[in-house]
Amino acid sequence: MTTAFHADAEIASQPQIWRQVAEFAPSVFSKLPKKGERVAVVGCGSSWFMSMAYASLREAAGHGETDVYAGSEFNYERKYDRIVSISRSGTTTEIVELLGKVKTPSVILTAIHNSPVEDRATETIIMDFADEQSVLQTRWATAALGLLRAHLGFDLNSIVKDAEEALASDISDLVEVEQISFLGRGWTIGLAHEAALKTRESSQFWAEAYPALDYRHGPLSISQPGRAVWAFGDIPADLVRDIKSTGALFESSKLDPMAHLIRAQRVAIAIAKKRGVDADNPRGLARSIILDK
Ligand code: F1P
């Protein structure tokens, strides 16, 4: 299948979307957690993985303790000053229910106006310009994380060039492998999970994700020629050596890790095309998971 997917155009639009996010971000900074607040970040699927990345970055930046939960696994016994939730659709059942139950001040980051989450959250940030036609989340995920990075003081405009480079780079070797394990450290662990989810969703392809140093605790056994290990951000030289000695293709990059994720999105779509799978409509997935009660 060589047809273009909505996801192709959405992935390619990321440099432009990141510029828009950089311009939009200061207008909503007052809705986001203050320095020193104890925060929980929640989301499902891609929105959970972006939550993971943000939580790690926020705490590392000295903004305060920041926990992260999949929407279904929130710990209602813990006390937080604020809940940050991410949901492109604004209709995901776990997030709607969670925000309906808690009394904690909350802010929802969504792409949709007048959604059920908006009624339940204290504050709403709507980035409709980053919404997507594909069921697959690509630019929404990086726009959401980009906004939160901007609030932590990061200049998104400084990595637009990296995004352009990731879009123009050669991915042909990676499209030929039979399996990919994605690795990260700190905030890039969320990116590794997102990259693995992307390849599973879009092309029903075998991909996994681990904190880099944990990869040696067993998962390394699946590494071999014809498979790939993909690191987001820096990983220790001795781990790179151990990975390379298995004969697997090793991918790493000097690009900003969020821009490096664009390469993984492209690989995911290219594999879908190679396998004749409809990347815009992943098997068994809807744009939003709304559970029957
Ligand atoms: C979360 C999510 C996505 C997934 C699919 C279904 O959606 O699980 O990660 O790719 O689109 O929903 P949302 O809460 O961000 O709308």
Side-chain angles (χ1 to χ4, degrees):
M1 191 189 283
T2 50
T3 350
F5 296 118
H6 291 304
D8 286 305
E10 289 159 358
I11 289 168
S13 72
Q14 285 171 109
Q16 174 53 29
I17 293 287
W18 293 5
R19 278 195 202 97
Q20 278 180 262
V21 173
E23 204 182 320
F24 169 78
S27 68
V28 295
F29 280 171
S30 62
K31 298 182 178 186
L32 289 165
K34 316 252 170 306
K35 210 168 173 181
E37 283 184 344
R38 208 174 125 66
V39 169
V41 195
V42 298
C44 296
S46 299
S47 293
W48 174 35
F49 299 138
M50 295 303 104
S51 299
M52 261 186 203
Y54 167 58
S56 175
L57 280 171
R58 182 176 185 269
E59 195 153 322
H63 279 237
E65 283 184 4
T66 314
D67 289 335
V68 60
Y69 300 97
S72 53
E73 301 300 325
F74 185 69
N75 185 340
Y76 291 89
E77 300 304 312
R78 295 223 178 135
K79 299 281 169 267
Y80 293 102
D81 299 314
R82 199 168 305 270
I83 295 173
V84 175
S85 53
I86 305 176
S87 176
R88 175 182 68 175
S89 63
T91 51
T92 296
T93 300
E94 291 94 320
I95 301 302
V96 173
E97 285 189 355
L98 191 160
L99 293 180
K101 269 192 217 168
V102 295
K103 298 272 180 282
T104 313
S106 59
V107 53
I108 175 78
L109 186 43
T110 182
I112 303 297
H113 293 265
N114 305 316
S115 67
V117 287
E118 191 170 348
D119 292 343
R120 291 162 175 80
T122 321
E123 297 280 5
T124 306
I125 296 174
I126 300 175
M127 291 203 294
D128 49 5
F129 59 86
D131 198 6
E132 293 149 327
Q133 279 181 274
S134 183
V135 166
L136 209 65
Q137 293 194 6
T138 53
R139 75 179 186 197
W140 163 257
T142 62
L145 179 58
L147 177 93
L148 296 165
R149 290 180 78 184
H151 183 237
L152 297 176
F154 185 77
D155 177 12
L156 268 190
N157 283 313
S158 73
I159 59 163
V160 166
K161 262 203 165 49
D162 284 13
E164 283 161 353
E165 209 176 298
L167 285 167
S169 59
D170 179 28
I171 54 168
S172 47
D173 284 2
L174 289 154
V175 177
E176 298 310 318
V177 299
E178 62 167 11
Q179 186 274 343
I180 307 178
S181 294
F182 293 95
L183 310 183
R185 298 199 75 189
W187 74 284
T188 68
I189 295 169
L191 301 185
H193 281 291
E194 171 58 10
L197 177 68
K198 230 38 22 184
T199 47
R200 290 192 295 262
E201 283 180 327
S202 64
S203 51
Q204 295 156 35
F205 179 81
W206 176 25
E208 305 180 358
Y210 301 95
L213 293 193
D214 226 61
Y215 186 62
R216 254 191 304 227
H217 292 266
L220 181 69
S221 303
I222 58 164
S223 187
Q224 64 179 48
R227 298 179 182 172
V229 181
W230 181 311
F232 286 102
D234 291 331
I235 65 169
D238 61 335
L239 177 56
V240 175
R241 189 199 54 220
D242 290 353
I243 291 166
K244 286 185 174 168
S245 73
T246 68
L249 179 66
F250 178 67
E251 156 88 5
S252 65
S253 173
K254 288 287 164 221
L255 298 176
D256 175 86
M258 198 168 86
H260 194 196
L261 178 62
I262 294 180
R263 254 173 84 72
Q265 294 168 341
R266 289 180 57 222
V267 169
I269 300 299
I271 294 172
K273 287 180 181 167
K274 187 177 152 207
R275 306 179 95 188
V277 175
D278 180 356
D280 279 337
N281 294 291
R283 183 165 69 184
L285 190 65
R287 178 175 152 88
S288 170
I289 306 298
I290 301 175
L291 304 172
D292 288 335
K293 289 285 142 191

